[in-house]
Amino acid sequence: MTGLTAIMIMGVLTIIVLLVIRLNATPSAVQLPDTLTLPDGTKPTAFTLGPDWLAVITDDEILVYNLDGSLRKRVSIDQ
């Protein structure tokens, strides 16, 4: 019984150590542009980030930008 308790304690400690190591590993910092210019009259409702782009969702379109802040594509949303 003592051996089983010791093994369970070691298992729990191992899991805790692995969680601490994993949670402390920080991913690479996200590089966002300093400024992002939206077209006049647009109101952003959501934002998402891709590997080499970012998107701003408005009421009637999706604006896709490069990470340097330049507009890549405009996608109209039909309502």
Side-chain angles (χ1 to χ4, degrees), residues 3-59:
L4 180 58
T5 302
I7 290 172
M8 289 180 67
I9 290 171
M10 287 180 5
V12 169
L13 289 175
T14 302
I15 290 171
I16 291 170
V17 168
L18 290 174
L19 280 172
V20 168
I21 290 171
R22 179 72 175 164
L23 293 176
N24 283 335
T26 57
S28 61
V30 177
Q31 297 294 327
L32 295 176
D34 292 333
T35 61
L36 195 62
T37 305
L38 297 176
D40 289 337
T42 59
K43 179 182 171 192
T45 58
F47 168 83
T48 189
L49 182 65
D52 64 342
W53 54 269
L54 57 95
V56 176
I57 293 87
T58 65
D59 291 332

